Coordinates of all heavy atoms in Angstrom, one line a residue:
T1 N 92.1 74.2 111.5 CA 93.2 75.1 111.7 C 94.5 74.4 111.4 O 94.6 73.2 111.3 CB 93.2 75.6 113.2 OG1 94.3 76.6 113.3 CG2 93.5 74.5 114.2
Y2 N 95.5 75.3 111.1 CA 96.9 74.7 110.9 C 97.7 74.9 112.2 O 97.4 75.9 113.0 CB 97.6 75.4 109.7 CG 97.1 74.9 108.4 CD1 95.8 75.1 107.9 CD2 97.9 74.1 107.6 CE1 95.4 74.6 106.7 CE2 97.5 73.6 106.4 CZ 96.2 73.8 106.0 OH 95.8 73.3 104.8
V3 N 98.6 74.1 112.4 CA 99.5 74.2 113.6 C 100.9 74.1 113.3 O 101.3 73.5 112.3 CB 99.1 73.1 114.6 CG1 97.7 73.2 115.2 CG2 99.3 71.7 114.1
V4 N 101.7 74.8 114.1 CA 103.2 74.8 113.9 C 103.7 73.6 114.8 O 103.3 73.5 116.0 CB 103.8 76.1 114.3 CG1 105.3 76.1 114.1 CG2 103.2 77.3 113.6
T5 N 104.6 72.8 114.2 CA 105.2 71.7 115.0 C 106.7 71.8 115.2 O 107.3 72.9 114.9 CB 104.9 70.4 114.2 OG1 105.6 70.4 112.9 CG2 103.4 70.2 114.0
E6 N 107.3 70.8 115.7 CA 108.7 70.9 116.2 C 109.7 71.3 115.2 O 110.8 71.9 115.6 CB 109.1 69.5 116.9 CG 109.1 68.4 115.9 CD 109.1 67.0 116.6 OE1 109.7 66.9 117.7 OE2 108.5 66.1 116.1
N7 N 109.5 71.1 113.9 CA 110.5 71.5 113.0 C 110.7 73.0 113.0 O 111.7 73.5 112.4 CB 110.1 71.1 111.5 CG 110.4 69.6 111.3 OD1 110.8 68.9 112.2 ND2 110.2 69.2 110.1
C8 N 109.8 73.7 113.5 CA 109.9 75.2 113.6 C 111.0 75.6 114.6 O 111.5 76.7 114.5 CB 108.6 75.8 114.0 SG 108.6 77.6 114.1
I9 N 111.3 74.8 115.6 CA 112.1 75.2 116.7 C 113.5 75.6 116.2 O 114.2 74.9 115.4 CB 112.3 74.0 117.7 CG1 110.9 73.8 118.4 CG2 113.3 74.4 118.8 CD1 110.8 72.5 119.2
R10 N 113.9 76.8 116.5 CA 115.1 77.5 116.1 C 115.2 77.7 114.6 O 116.3 78.1 114.1 CB 116.3 76.7 116.6 CG 116.5 76.9 118.1 CD 117.8 76.2 118.6 NE 117.7 74.8 118.6 CZ 117.1 74.1 119.6 NH1 116.6 74.7 120.6 NH2 117.0 72.8 119.5
C11 N 114.1 77.6 113.8 CA 114.1 78.0 112.4 C 114.1 79.5 112.4 O 113.4 80.1 113.2 CB 112.8 77.4 111.8 SG 112.6 78.0 110.1
K12 N 114.8 80.0 111.4 CA 114.9 81.5 111.3 C 114.1 82.1 110.2 O 114.1 83.3 110.0 CB 116.4 81.9 111.2 CG 117.3 81.5 112.3 CD 116.9 82.2 113.6 CE 117.9 81.8 114.7 NZ 117.3 82.1 116.0
F13 N 113.4 81.2 109.5 CA 112.6 81.7 108.3 C 111.3 82.2 108.8 O 110.7 81.7 109.8 CB 112.4 80.6 107.3 CG 113.6 80.2 106.6 CD1 114.3 79.0 107.0 CD2 114.1 80.9 105.6 CE1 115.5 78.6 106.4 CE2 115.3 80.5 104.9 CZ 116.0 79.4 105.3
M14 N 110.8 83.3 108.2 CA 109.6 83.9 108.6 C 108.6 84.0 107.4 O 107.7 84.8 107.4 CB 109.8 85.3 109.2 CG 110.8 85.3 110.3 SD 110.0 84.9 111.9 CE 109.4 86.4 112.4
D15 N 108.8 83.1 106.4 CA 108.0 83.2 105.2 C 106.5 83.0 105.5 O 105.7 83.7 104.9 CB 108.4 82.1 104.2 CG 109.9 82.2 103.9 OD1 110.7 82.3 104.8 OD2 110.3 82.1 102.7
C16 N 106.2 82.2 106.5 CA 104.8 81.9 106.8 C 104.1 83.2 107.3 O 103.0 83.5 107.0 CB 104.8 80.9 107.9 SG 105.8 81.3 109.4
V17 N 104.9 84.0 108.1 CA 104.3 85.2 108.7 C 104.0 86.2 107.6 O 102.9 86.9 107.7 CB 105.3 85.8 109.7 CG1 104.8 87.1 110.3 CG2 105.6 84.8 110.8
E18 N 104.8 86.2 106.6 CA 104.7 87.2 105.5 C 103.4 86.9 104.7 O 102.7 87.8 104.3 CB 105.9 87.1 104.5 CG 107.2 87.4 105.2 CD 107.3 88.8 105.7 OE1 106.8 89.7 105.1 OE2 107.9 88.9 106.8
V19 N 103.1 85.6 104.5 CA 101.9 85.3 103.7 C 100.6 85.2 104.4 O 99.5 85.2 103.7 CB 102.2 84.0 102.9 CG1 103.4 84.1 102.0 CG2 102.4 82.8 103.8
C20 N 100.6 85.0 105.7 CA 99.3 84.8 106.4 C 98.4 86.0 106.2 O 98.7 87.1 106.6 CB 99.6 84.5 107.9 SG 98.0 84.3 108.8
P21 N 97.2 85.8 105.7 CA 96.3 87.0 105.4 C 95.7 87.5 106.7 O 95.1 88.7 106.7 CB 95.2 86.4 104.5 CG 95.2 84.9 104.8 CD 96.6 84.6 105.2
V22 N 95.7 86.8 107.8 CA 95.0 87.3 109.0 C 96.0 87.5 110.2 O 95.6 87.7 111.3 CB 93.9 86.3 109.4 CG1 92.8 86.3 108.4 CG2 94.4 84.9 109.7
D23 N 97.3 87.5 109.9 CA 98.3 87.7 110.9 C 98.1 87.0 112.2 O 98.0 87.6 113.3 CB 98.4 89.2 111.2 CG 98.9 90.0 110.0 OD1 99.7 89.5 109.3 OD2 98.4 91.2 109.8
C24 N 98.0 85.7 112.1 CA 97.6 84.9 113.3 C 98.9 84.1 113.8 O 98.7 83.2 114.6 CB 96.5 84.0 113.1 SG 96.7 82.7 111.8
F25 N 100.1 84.6 113.4 CA 101.3 84.0 114.0 C 101.7 84.7 115.3 O 101.7 85.9 115.3 CB 102.4 83.9 113.0 CG 102.3 82.8 112.0 CD1 101.6 83.0 110.8 CD2 102.8 81.6 112.2 CE1 101.4 82.0 109.9 CE2 102.7 80.6 111.3 CZ 102.0 80.8 110.1
Y26 N 102.2 83.9 116.2 CA 102.7 84.5 117.5 C 104.1 83.9 117.7 O 104.3 82.8 117.4 CB 101.7 84.1 118.7 CG 100.4 84.8 118.5 CD1 99.5 84.4 117.6 CD2 100.1 85.9 119.4 CE1 98.3 85.1 117.4 CE2 98.9 86.5 119.2 CZ 98.0 86.1 118.2 OH 96.8 86.8 118.1
E27 N 104.9 84.7 118.3 CA 106.3 84.3 118.4 C 106.8 84.2 119.9 O 106.7 85.2 120.6 CB 107.2 85.3 117.6 CG 108.7 84.9 117.6 CD 109.5 86.0 116.8 OE1 109.1 87.1 116.7 OE2 110.6 85.6 116.4
G28 N 107.4 83.1 120.2 CA 108.1 82.9 121.5 C 109.6 82.9 121.2 O 110.1 83.2 120.1
E29 N 110.4 82.4 122.2 CA 111.8 82.4 122.1 C 112.3 81.5 121.0 O 113.3 81.9 120.3 CB 112.4 82.0 123.5 CG 113.7 82.6 123.8 CD 114.1 82.3 125.3 OE1 113.3 82.6 126.2 OE2 115.2 81.7 125.5
N30 N 111.8 80.3 120.9 CA 112.3 79.3 120.0 C 111.5 79.0 118.8 O 112.0 78.3 117.9 CB 112.5 78.0 120.8 CG 113.7 78.1 121.8 OD1 114.6 78.8 121.5 ND2 113.5 77.4 122.9
M31 N 110.2 79.4 118.8 CA 109.4 79.0 117.6 C 108.2 79.9 117.5 O 108.0 80.8 118.3 CB 109.0 77.5 117.8 CG 108.0 77.3 118.9 SD 107.4 75.5 119.0 CE 106.3 75.4 117.6
L32 N 107.5 79.7 116.4 CA 106.2 80.4 116.2 C 105.1 79.5 116.5 O 105.2 78.3 116.4 CB 106.1 80.9 114.8 CG 107.3 81.6 114.2 CD1 107.0 81.9 112.7 CD2 107.6 82.9 114.9
V33 N 103.9 80.0 116.8 CA 102.7 79.2 116.9 C 101.6 80.0 116.1 O 101.7 81.2 115.8 CB 102.2 79.0 118.3 CG1 103.2 78.1 119.0 CG2 102.0 80.3 119.1
I34 N 100.5 79.2 115.8 CA 99.3 79.8 115.1 C 98.2 79.8 116.1 O 97.9 78.8 116.8 CB 99.0 78.9 113.9 CG1 100.1 79.0 112.8 CG2 97.6 79.3 113.3 CD1 99.9 78.0 111.7
H35 N 97.5 80.9 116.2 CA 96.3 81.0 117.1 C 95.2 80.3 116.4 O 94.7 80.7 115.3 CB 95.9 82.5 117.3 CG 95.0 82.7 118.4 ND1 93.8 81.9 118.6 CD2 95.0 83.5 119.5 CE1 93.2 82.3 119.7 NE2 93.9 83.3 120.2
P36 N 94.7 79.2 117.0 CA 93.7 78.3 116.3 C 92.4 79.0 116.1 O 91.6 78.6 115.2 CB 93.6 77.1 117.2 CG 94.2 77.5 118.5 CD 95.1 78.6 118.2
D37 N 92.0 80.0 116.9 CA 90.8 80.7 116.7 C 90.8 81.8 115.6 O 89.8 82.3 115.2 CB 90.3 81.3 118.0 CG 90.1 80.3 119.1 OD1 89.8 79.1 118.8 OD2 90.2 80.7 120.3
E38 N 92.1 82.2 115.3 CA 92.2 83.2 114.3 C 92.6 82.7 112.9 O 92.3 83.3 111.9 CB 93.3 84.2 114.8 CG 93.0 84.9 116.0 CD 94.1 85.8 116.6 OE1 95.1 85.9 115.9 OE2 93.9 86.4 117.7
C39 N 93.2 81.5 112.8 CA 93.5 80.9 111.6 C 92.2 80.6 110.8 O 91.3 80.0 111.3 CB 94.2 79.6 111.8 SG 94.6 78.6 110.4
I40 N 92.2 81.0 109.5 CA 91.0 80.8 108.7 C 91.2 79.6 107.8 O 90.4 79.4 106.8 CB 90.7 82.0 107.8 CG1 91.9 82.4 106.9 CG2 90.3 83.2 108.7 CD1 91.6 83.5 105.9
D41 N 92.3 78.8 108.0 CA 92.4 77.5 107.4 C 92.7 77.6 105.9 O 92.3 76.7 105.1 CB 91.1 76.7 107.6 CG 91.4 75.3 108.1 OD1 92.6 75.0 108.4 OD2 90.5 74.5 108.2
C42 N 93.3 78.7 105.5 CA 93.5 78.9 104.0 C 94.6 78.0 103.4 O 94.6 77.8 102.2 CB 93.8 80.4 103.8 SG 95.5 80.9 104.3
G43 N 95.5 77.6 104.3 CA 96.6 76.7 103.8 C 97.7 77.4 103.1 O 98.7 76.7 102.7
V44 N 97.7 78.7 103.0 CA 98.8 79.4 102.2 C 100.1 79.2 102.9 O 101.1 79.2 102.2 CB 98.4 80.9 102.1 CG1 99.5 81.7 101.6 CG2 97.2 81.1 101.2
C45 N 100.2 79.2 104.2 CA 101.5 79.1 104.9 C 102.2 77.8 104.7 O 103.4 77.7 104.8 CB 101.3 79.5 106.4 SG 100.2 78.3 107.2
E46 N 101.4 76.7 104.6 CA 102.0 75.4 104.6 C 103.1 75.2 103.6 O 104.2 74.8 104.0 CB 100.9 74.3 104.4 CG 101.4 72.9 104.6 CD 100.3 71.9 104.3 OE1 99.3 72.2 103.7 OE2 100.5 70.7 104.8
P47 N 102.9 75.5 102.3 CA 104.0 75.3 101.4 C 105.1 76.3 101.5 O 106.2 76.1 100.9 CB 103.3 75.4 100.0 CG 102.1 76.2 100.2 CD 101.7 75.9 101.6
E48 N 104.9 77.4 102.2 CA 105.9 78.5 102.3 C 106.9 78.1 103.4 O 108.0 78.7 103.4 CB 105.2 79.8 102.7 CG 104.3 80.4 101.6 CD 105.0 80.7 100.3 OE1 106.2 81.1 100.4 OE2 104.5 80.5 99.3
C49 N 106.6 77.2 104.2 CA 107.5 76.8 105.3 C 108.7 76.0 104.8 O 108.4 74.8 104.5 CB 106.8 76.2 106.5 SG 107.9 75.6 107.8
P50 N 109.9 76.5 104.8 CA 111.0 75.6 104.3 C 111.4 74.5 105.3 O 112.0 73.5 104.8 CB 112.2 76.6 104.3 CG 111.8 77.8 105.0 CD 110.4 77.8 105.3
A51 N 110.9 74.5 106.5 CA 111.2 73.4 107.5 C 110.0 72.4 107.5 O 110.1 71.4 108.3 CB 111.4 74.0 108.9
E52 N 109.0 72.6 106.7 CA 107.8 71.8 106.7 C 107.3 71.6 108.1 O 106.9 70.5 108.5 CB 108.2 70.4 106.0 CG 108.5 70.6 104.6 CD 108.8 69.3 103.8 OE1 108.6 68.2 104.4 OE2 109.1 69.3 102.6
A53 N 107.2 72.7 108.8 CA 106.8 72.6 110.2 C 105.3 72.8 110.4 O 104.7 72.6 111.5 CB 107.5 73.6 111.1
I54 N 104.6 73.3 109.3 CA 103.2 73.7 109.5 C 102.3 72.6 108.8 O 102.5 72.2 107.7 CB 102.9 75.0 108.8 CG1 103.8 76.1 109.4 CG2 101.5 75.4 108.9 CD1 103.7 77.4 108.7
V55 N 101.4 72.1 109.7 CA 100.5 71.0 109.2 C 99.1 71.3 109.6 O 98.8 72.0 110.6 CB 101.0 69.6 109.8 CG1 102.4 69.3 109.4 CG2 100.9 69.7 111.3
P56 N 98.1 70.6 108.9 CA 96.7 70.8 109.4 C 96.5 70.0 110.7 O 97.2 68.9 110.8 CB 95.9 70.1 108.2 CG 96.9 69.6 107.3 CD 98.3 69.9 107.7
D57 N 95.7 70.5 111.6 CA 95.5 69.8 112.8 C 94.8 68.5 112.7 O 94.7 67.7 113.7 CB 94.9 70.7 113.9 CG 93.4 70.9 113.6 OD1 93.0 70.8 112.5 OD2 92.7 71.0 114.6
T58 N 94.2 68.2 111.5 CA 93.5 67.0 111.3 C 94.5 65.8 111.1 O 94.1 64.7 111.1 CB 92.7 67.1 110.0 OG1 93.4 67.7 109.0 CG2 91.5 68.0 110.3
E59 N 95.8 66.1 110.9 CA 96.7 65.1 110.7 C 96.9 64.3 112.0 O 97.1 64.9 113.1 CB 98.1 65.7 110.2 CG 98.7 65.0 109.0 CD 99.8 65.9 108.4 OE1 101.0 65.8 108.9 OE2 99.6 66.6 107.5
A60 N 97.0 63.0 111.9 CA 97.1 62.1 113.1 C 98.3 62.5 113.9 O 99.4 62.7 113.4 CB 97.1 60.7 112.7
G61 N 98.2 62.4 115.2 CA 99.3 62.6 116.1 C 99.7 64.0 116.4 O 100.6 64.3 117.1
H62 N 98.9 65.0 115.9 CA 99.2 66.4 116.1 C 98.4 67.1 117.2 O 98.4 68.3 117.3 CB 99.2 67.2 114.8 CG 100.4 66.8 113.9 ND1 100.2 66.4 112.6 CD2 101.7 66.7 114.2 CE1 101.4 66.1 112.1 NE2 102.3 66.3 113.0
E63 N 97.6 66.3 117.9 CA 96.8 66.9 119.0 C 97.6 67.7 120.0 O 97.2 68.8 120.4 CB 96.0 65.8 119.7 CG 95.1 65.0 118.9 CD 95.7 63.8 118.1 OE1 97.0 63.6 118.2 OE2 95.0 63.2 117.3
K64 N 98.8 67.2 120.3 CA 99.6 67.9 121.4 C 100.1 69.2 120.8 O 100.2 70.2 121.5 CB 100.8 67.0 121.8 CG 101.9 66.8 120.8 CD 103.1 66.3 121.5 CE 104.2 66.1 120.4 NZ 105.5 65.7 120.9
W65 N 100.3 69.3 119.5 CA 100.8 70.5 118.9 C 99.6 71.6 118.8 O 99.8 72.8 119.0 CB 101.4 70.3 117.5 CG 102.7 69.6 117.6 CD1 102.9 68.3 117.4 CD2 103.9 70.2 118.1 NE1 104.3 68.0 117.7 CE2 104.9 69.1 118.1 CE3 104.3 71.4 118.6 CZ2 106.2 69.3 118.6 CZ3 105.6 71.6 119.0 CH2 106.5 70.6 119.0
L66 N 98.4 71.1 118.6 CA 97.3 72.0 118.6 C 97.1 72.6 120.0 O 96.9 73.8 120.1 CB 96.0 71.3 118.2 CG 94.7 72.1 118.3 CD1 94.8 73.3 117.4 CD2 93.5 71.3 118.0
T67 N 97.2 71.8 121.0 CA 97.2 72.3 122.4 C 98.3 73.3 122.7 O 98.0 74.4 123.2 CB 97.3 71.2 123.4 OG1 96.3 70.2 123.1 CG2 97.1 71.6 124.8
L68 N 99.5 73.0 122.2 CA 100.6 73.9 122.4 C 100.4 75.2 121.7 O 100.7 76.3 122.2 CB 101.9 73.2 122.0 CG 103.2 73.9 122.2 CD1 104.3 72.9 122.5 CD2 103.7 74.8 121.0
N69 N 100.0 75.1 120.4 CA 99.8 76.4 119.7 C 98.7 77.2 120.3 O 98.9 78.4 120.5 CB 99.3 76.0 118.2 CG 100.5 75.7 117.3 OD1 100.7 76.4 116.3 ND2 101.3 74.7 117.6
A70 N 97.6 76.6 120.8 CA 96.5 77.4 121.4 C 97.0 78.0 122.7 O 96.7 79.2 123.0 CB 95.4 76.4 121.7
D71 N 97.8 77.3 123.5 CA 98.2 77.8 124.8 C 99.2 79.0 124.6 O 99.1 80.0 125.2 CB 98.9 76.7 125.6 CG 97.9 75.7 126.1 OD1 96.7 75.9 126.1 OD2 98.4 74.6 126.6
Y72 N 100.2 78.8 123.7 CA 101.2 79.8 123.6 C 100.8 81.0 122.8 O 101.3 82.1 123.0 CB 102.5 79.2 123.0 CG 103.3 78.4 124.0 CD1 103.5 77.1 123.8 CD2 103.7 79.0 125.2 CE1 104.2 76.3 124.8 CE2 104.4 78.3 126.1 CZ 104.6 76.9 126.0 OH 105.3 76.2 126.9
A73 N 99.8 80.8 122.0 CA 99.2 82.0 121.2 C 98.6 83.0 122.2 O 98.5 84.2 121.9 CB 98.2 81.5 120.2
K74 N 98.2 82.6 123.3 CA 97.6 83.5 124.3 C 98.7 84.2 125.1 O 98.5 85.2 125.7 CB 96.7 82.7 125.3 CG 95.5 82.1 124.6 CD 94.6 81.5 125.7 CE 93.5 80.7 125.0 NZ 93.7 79.2 125.0
L75 N 99.9 83.6 125.2 CA 101.0 84.1 126.0 C 102.0 85.0 125.2 O 102.6 85.8 125.8 CB 101.8 83.0 126.7 CG 101.0 82.1 127.6 CD1 101.8 80.9 128.1 CD2 100.5 82.8 128.9
W76 N 102.2 84.7 124.0 CA 103.2 85.3 123.2 C 102.7 86.4 122.4 O 101.5 86.5 122.0 CB 103.9 84.2 122.3 CG 104.6 83.2 123.0 CD1 105.0 83.1 124.3 CD2 105.1 81.9 122.5 NE1 105.7 82.0 124.6 CE2 105.8 81.2 123.5 CE3 105.1 81.3 121.2 CZ2 106.4 80.0 123.3 CZ3 105.7 80.1 121.0 CH2 106.3 79.4 122.1
P77 N 103.6 87.3 122.0 CA 103.2 88.5 121.1 C 102.8 88.1 119.7 O 103.5 87.3 119.1 CB 104.4 89.4 121.2 CG 105.5 88.7 121.7 CD 105.0 87.4 122.4
N78 N 101.9 88.8 119.2 CA 101.5 88.6 117.8 C 102.6 89.2 116.9 O 103.2 90.2 117.3 CB 100.2 89.4 117.5 CG 99.7 89.2 116.1 OD1 99.7 90.2 115.3 ND2 99.3 88.0 115.7
I79 N 102.9 88.6 115.7 CA 103.9 89.2 114.9 C 103.4 89.3 113.4 O 102.3 88.8 113.1 CB 105.2 88.4 114.8 CG1 104.9 86.9 114.5 CG2 105.9 88.5 116.1 CD1 106.1 86.1 114.1
Ligands
LIG101 FE1 97.4 82.0 108.3 FE2 96.2 80.6 106.4 FE3 98.3 79.6 107.6 FE4 96.0 79.8 109.0 S1 96.4 78.5 107.2 S2 98.1 80.4 109.7 S3 95.2 81.7 108.1 S4 98.3 81.4 106.3

């Protein structure tokens, strides 16, 4: 799965949401998250993010962001 990381905070771009084929982005007050069970790992959103906030969860050091994305995707509305 792909995960959204800290560069997303207060970013106003929504290019990732537009391109996601399965609509698995969820939005809170300050950032977006990706639902890890819904993401199909297509990678389309990664280059679309102008803040470079979207990374594969396989990248080292991003375990906490995977947890955060999974937790908040259950609490926040789908967009
Ligand atoms: Fe959506 Fe593909 Fe990005 Fe996953 S990798 S969030 S399915 S655009």
Side-chain angles (χ1 to χ4, degrees):
T1 185
Y2 280 71
V3 295
V4 184
T5 63
E6 62 198 325
N7 283 5
C8 180
I9 297 170
R10 287 184 289 279
C11 170
K12 299 294 181 202
F13 293 99
M14 302 282 273
D15 305 46
C16 54
V17 178
E18 304 296 322
V19 298
C20 179
V22 294
D23 293 328
C24 63
F25 280 91
Y26 292 72
E27 184 180 23
E29 210 172 307
N30 287 330
M31 68 178 287
L32 310 178
V33 293
I34 292 169
H35 195 312
D37 298 337
E38 296 175 4
C39 174
I40 58 169
D41 230 7
C42 70
V44 169
C45 57
E46 186 183 18
E48 295 297 325
C49 176
E52 297 184 1
I54 302 174
V55 297
D57 76 328
T58 47
E59 229 167 83
H62 288 127
E63 298 82 3
K64 70 167 183 176
W65 289 105
L66 176 60
T67 306
L68 185 146
N69 277 241
D71 289 349
Y72 284 120
K74 295 186 189 99
L75 298 172
W76 293 346
N78 182 249
I79 51 166

